[in-house]
Amino acid sequence: MSTKFMDKDFLLSNETAKTLFHEYASKQPIVDYHCHIDPRQIYEDKTFEDIAEIWLGGDHYKWRVMRNNGVDERYITGDASPYEKFQKWAETMPKLIGNPLYHWTHLELQRYFDIYETLSPETCDMIWEKANEKLKSLSAREIIKQSNVSVICTTDDPTDDLIWHKKIKEDSQVTFKVLPTFRPDKLLNIESDGFKQYVNDLEKVSGKKANNLDSLKEIITDRLDYFVDMGCRISDHALNYVVFNERDDIEDILQKALDGKPLTIEEVEAYKTEMLCFLAGLYFERDIAMQLHYGVVRNVNKKAFDSLGPDTGYDAIWGSAESGVKLGTLLSKMNSSGKLPKTIVYSLNPCDNAQIETIIGCFQKSEHPGWMQHGSAWWFNDTKQGMEAQITELANMSVLGNFVGMLTDSRSFLSYTRHEYFRRILCNIIGGWVEHGEYPKDIDKLGKMVEDICHNNAISYFKF
């Protein structure tokens, strides 16, 4: 007997999974500890003109598959009307069998718009009109509340004044937490053409001069302390690849960069190693969790980058044979100083799953179970198969019950259904193990484990 399309038991293939999801997982608030939501839109309680704006604006996941379907750029990032762009998305949708975007799209239609028809050229006009009518009562805050979100951690540069976080904090109508995340990528990217200007920006916001390495470290320490005062509990680092290179001429390397002189790859890696270890010490002292994202080759298509800029759907997976060695060596250096912070490691390369598990297992702390975490399936791995692989590998080689769970990593307010997607997959995997006699059918214990992974572990780990 075939299963009905995306019904209440979607992705739940056994009775234990159904019980765990409906009775435990689905009732847990969402802790979105890593996203790219604009806090200003939360404060101003942004409303949306139409479904194209909230769905297609800035969503490079959708842009990529539209390009793969032969859609002209005019209908993706160009000057076509919102309806025309939505129409092209509707034309693409029926072909996306096996793609998580097909599931996410219809979860969002069901949860936020009460639309249970599938999106296609035939239903395009009906869904356009019905969704747009529903959007009139779906502001940013309403979507967050309706999604049962308790914590949102945005992604913020150290130069940010966090004014919108201040305003949110002072607004008694906001019943959920919105906290900044410290993301000093521009500080680390010494090879960037904009590095010198970024140091100038740090000087302006701090009122101090960055004449040398010590003064630059002092400024970034002050900025981190400001973020902590504003409720920051997490840092984040986007590394194209894991770096490790120890040298004793970091001061000279910094001065070369500030003088506009080119650096060697070795010099760049040495500076990044120095700053990552320095920042890790600051995080440890302030009980801030450190996220390391790596395995990305960015802006592969230079012509497209020159035309559209970054974050437009032209990044790919970077597979590095030395990533495991360098990750282990970097963490070991931090650990040897006695200042290895709580750390979550993500790789865009799915081949790194087992590698990450074995490496972080070398640095766990007895006083804090789950100190080192293998982050949830990320970006191109954010699929049913990718989530199953990450969860299974974590269970195989570590302690699944200590996992801090899912995040959206999204710029869209409708992406909270990704947590439901993850929770269904999690419950189905656990339920399958139980049904096959690999774990006792103790629903109370299993339910508690599911609640912990979906909510409680993140609250405890980040101390929200």
Side-chain angles (χ1 to χ4, degrees):
M1 184 178 69
S2 62
T3 302
K4 185 178 179 182
F5 173 69
M6 290 185 69
D7 64 2
K8 67 182 181 66
D9 292 329
F10 172 56
L11 298 179
L12 306 174
S13 62
N14 57 77
E15 292 305 313
T16 302
K18 294 173 185 178
T19 298
L20 292 177
F21 177 75
H22 293 302
E23 297 300 321
Y24 297 92
S26 66
K27 297 179 180 180
Q28 296 305 300
I30 288 174
V31 178
D32 197 19
Y33 59 86
H34 177 65
C35 75
H36 298 275
I37 291 292
D38 183 352
R40 178 174 183 171
Q41 294 182 349
I42 297 175
Y43 176 73
E44 295 180 345
D45 200 16
K46 179 177 173 60
T47 55
F48 302 89
E49 291 294 324
D50 50 56
I51 186 66
E53 179 187 6
I54 194 171
W55 246 6
L56 300 173
D59 191 339
H60 53 79
Y61 283 80
K62 294 186 178 74
W63 295 352
R64 285 178 67 96
V65 295
M66 290 171 75
R67 292 181 188 122
N68 287 340
N69 194 40
V71 175
D72 187 86
E73 197 65 33
R74 177 173 178 264
Y75 300 99
I76 301 172
T77 60
D79 61 359
S81 70
Y83 173 74
E84 289 175 314
K85 293 180 178 180
F86 180 78
Q87 193 173 38
K88 292 298 183 182
W89 178 236
E91 291 174 5
T92 301
M93 181 56 51
K95 299 181 181 181
L96 296 184
I97 186 169
N99 192 303
L101 286 168
Y102 196 85
H103 295 153
W104 295 349
T105 293
H106 291 101
L107 279 175
E108 291 169 16
L109 285 175
Q110 292 179 11
R111 300 297 175 265
Y112 299 111
F113 302 101
D114 297 320
I115 295 173
Y116 288 83
E117 292 84 359
T118 57
L119 180 60
S120 68
E122 293 73 27
T123 61
C124 177
D125 288 352
M126 179 275 293
I127 290 177
W128 171 262
E129 293 174 6
K130 189 171 181 179
N132 288 344
E133 181 62 29
K134 187 74 172 180
L135 268 177
K136 293 177 182 179
S137 60
L138 277 181
S139 64
R141 294 191 191 182
E142 182 57 35
I143 293 170
I144 293 169
K145 292 176 184 176
Q146 186 174 315
S147 304
N148 194 22
V149 180
S150 62
V151 182
I152 297 172
C153 293
T154 60
T155 303
D156 311 276
D157 188 271
T159 59
D160 198 312
D161 62 8
L162 304 182
I163 183 61
W164 302 108
H165 288 86
K166 286 183 182 178
K167 290 178 178 291
I168 291 170
K169 198 172 183 180
E170 295 167 355
D171 189 338
S172 61
Q173 299 301 309
V174 178
T175 56
F176 44 87
K177 292 182 179 180
V178 182
L179 307 176
T181 294
F182 192 74
R183 182 156 171 167
D185 289 352
K186 293 179 181 178
L187 172 73
L188 265 68
N189 292 339
I190 193 171
E191 76 278 20
S192 169
D193 292 338
F195 178 75
K196 183 176 181 179
Q197 180 57 53
Y198 184 70
V199 173
N200 291 338
D201 293 341
L202 281 171
E203 291 178 332
K204 290 177 183 177
V205 75
S206 68
K208 298 180 179 180
K209 295 296 291 182
N211 297 318
N212 52 41
L213 186 61
D214 285 343
S215 56
L216 182 58
K217 288 180 175 180
E218 181 181 342
I219 289 173
I220 207 66
T221 301
D222 290 346
R223 296 310 299 164
L224 176 59
D225 285 337
Y226 174 65
F227 271 57
V228 172
D229 288 343
M230 290 298 298
C232 173
R233 304 298 311 140
I234 312 172
S235 69
D236 185 37
H237 296 274
L239 309 172
N240 289 350
Y241 61 94
V242 182
V243 298
F244 188 83
N245 190 354
E246 289 187 287
R247 292 172 55 146
D248 57 10
D249 59 345
I250 308 301
E251 185 70 67
D252 295 337
I253 294 171
L254 175 61
Q255 292 304 323
K256 281 181 67 175
L258 295 178
D259 290 340
K261 297 178 181 178
L263 302 176
T264 66
I265 292 175
E266 291 75 14
E267 288 173 329
V268 170
E269 292 182 351
Y271 170 81
K272 291 186 177 183
T273 300
E274 170 71 22
M275 294 306 290
L276 276 170
C277 292
F278 169 72
L279 289 165
L282 298 183
Y283 303 149
F284 178 85
E285 291 166 355
R286 291 155 181 78
D287 197 19
I288 298 295
M290 176 174 70
Q291 295 179 104
L292 298 175
H293 290 82
Y294 73 90
V296 186
V297 52
R298 297 184 183 276
N299 309 314
V300 172
N301 185 329
K302 185 178 185 304
K303 182 179 179 181
F305 173 74
D306 291 343
S307 173
L308 301 175
D311 301 321
T312 52
Y314 292 97
D315 301 330
I317 295 172
W318 185 324
S320 173
E322 296 183 351
S323 62
V325 173
K326 290 186 175 180
L327 177 62
T329 309
L330 180 66
L331 295 176
S332 182
K333 180 175 174 61
M334 296 173 181
N335 188 60
S336 294
S337 70
K339 294 183 178 181
L340 176 62
K342 291 179 289 189
T343 302
I344 308 177
V345 181
Y346 312 77
S347 173
L348 200 56
N349 188 344
C351 297
D352 289 347
N353 281 341
Q355 175 177 273
I356 289 173
E357 293 297 347
T358 57
I359 290 172
I360 65 174
C362 298
F363 299 100
Q364 298 289 6
K365 292 182 179 291
S366 59
E367 63 271 26
H368 194 304
W371 184 264
M372 306 294 293
Q373 291 273 337
H374 179 186
S376 61
W378 170 45
W379 199 345
F380 296 122
N381 303 314
D382 204 1
T383 64
K384 178 175 178 286
Q385 179 179 341
M387 291 183 192
E388 289 172 341
Q390 187 270 346
I391 292 169
T392 302
E393 202 71 76
L394 196 164
N396 284 343
M397 297 189 175
S398 187
V399 182
L400 180 59
N402 291 336
F403 184 32
V404 293
M406 187 56 178
L407 46 85
T408 64
D409 191 26
S410 174
R411 293 168 175 80
S412 172
F413 286 96
L414 296 181
S415 292
Y416 297 115
T417 52
R418 294 184 192 179
H419 284 262
E420 178 183 340
Y421 197 62
F422 165 82
R423 291 174 179 186
R424 288 176 178 272
I425 291 169
L426 172 71
C427 291
N428 194 59
I429 292 173
I430 293 175
W433 289 331
V434 171
E435 298 279 337
H436 286 97
E438 299 176 41
Y439 192 93
K441 193 170 184 176
D442 186 331
I443 294 299
D444 289 341
K445 287 182 179 178
L446 291 164
K448 177 63 166 56
M449 183 185 299
V450 166
E451 290 177 341
D452 287 345
I453 295 170
C454 294
H455 178 263
N456 300 333
N457 289 345
I459 293 294
S460 173
Y461 188 79
F462 300 112
K463 297 186 178 178
F464 290 136

